[in-house]
Amino acid sequence: MEEYSDKLKQKFMRAALAEAMKAGDAGEVPIGAVIVQNGKIIARGKNERETKKDPAAHAEVVAIRKAGKKLDRWNLCDCDLFVTLEPCVMCSGAIIYSRIRSVYFGADDLRFGCCGTIMNLVQDQRFNHRASVEGGILKEECLEPIRGFFRDRRKEGKRKFE
Ligand SMILES: [Zn+2]
């Protein structure tokens, strides 16, 4: 696991949060991600499910695809992912397939989290790749925009995001 200081982890999580806010402004569930290589952000992603009408356009997948393009390779074994919400089953799969080294997430996802909450796919011994995981980075700051999003939706009586 790359040794990041707490300050650096928070800095990268704040960059992921900035992406989350952009997603929120576009009417998406506010989730954002960045990918870091050699201490630098090389790709950013935000949830674009509604905008792109794409069920796979989660922030992590968007960022992983961009990182692959940028590095001109699919193997991201020297890269770390920072994401505001614990990755789901699909994104955990993408983390395994892209060989991401470490996953840092903000809030736990009690309903879909697959980096320790519902299950821990990225550390399952049966797969040939495992990522290190650290959750809880800027947890409250990451969770609040998501809570706010669903609060507003419920107020509007829209149930399609539930
Ligand atoms: Zn996901």
Side-chain angles (χ1 to χ4, degrees):
M1 196 169 204
E2 173 91 9
E3 284 303 315
Y4 295 108
S5 66
D6 285 347
K7 206 177 148 192
L8 206 50
K9 284 182 223 168
Q10 289 172 11
K11 180 189 140 181
F12 291 134
M13 193 58 79
R14 287 220 161 79
L17 256 171
E19 293 302 305
M21 299 322 249
K22 282 188 219 164
D25 290 344
E28 303 274 359
V29 182
I31 301 164
V34 298
I35 291 179
V36 174
Q37 183 201 39
N38 297 328
K40 286 205 179 81
I41 294 172
I42 60 157
R44 297 166 199 265
K46 57 185 185 298
N47 178 25
E48 296 182 328
R49 198 169 57 164
E50 295 296 325
T51 316
K52 298 266 167 77
K53 313 294 176 207
D54 177 358
H58 288 191
E60 300 95 311
V61 168
V62 172
I64 284 170
R65 284 184 164 148
K66 281 186 192 164
K69 276 222 170 77
K70 177 137 188 178
L71 298 179
D72 198 26
R73 55 175 154 95
W74 62 266
N75 188 317
L76 306 178
C77 63
D78 54 347
C79 297
D80 302 316
L81 172 74
F82 288 77
V83 56
T84 56
L85 185 68
E86 181 181 354
C88 71
V89 61
M90 174 183 72
C91 293
S92 296
I95 288 161
I96 293 169
Y97 278 107
S98 59
R99 312 287 190 263
I100 293 266
R101 180 173 54 190
S102 303
V103 177
Y104 298 89
F105 66 84
D108 295 346
D109 187 342
L110 301 181
R111 294 169 67 217
F112 295 106
C114 283
C115 287
T117 297
I118 305 289
M119 54 178 85
N120 193 343
L121 275 180
V122 300
Q123 295 186 316
D124 193 303
Q125 299 294 322
R126 290 168 290 185
F127 292 124
N128 73 341
H129 175 76
R130 281 168 290 283
S132 61
V133 175
E134 184 181 332
I137 297 155
L138 300 181
K139 190 176 188 162
E140 281 306 311
E141 282 175 71
C142 290
L143 191 57
E144 186 41 43
I146 299 170
R147 275 205 198 109
F149 177 88
F150 286 108
R151 208 183 292 131
D152 294 347
R153 290 280 148 180
R154 275 193 294 274
K155 257 187 238 153
E156 290 165 24
K158 289 184 186 166
R159 307 292 300 184
K160 67 173 179 167
F161 291 92
E162 300 287 317

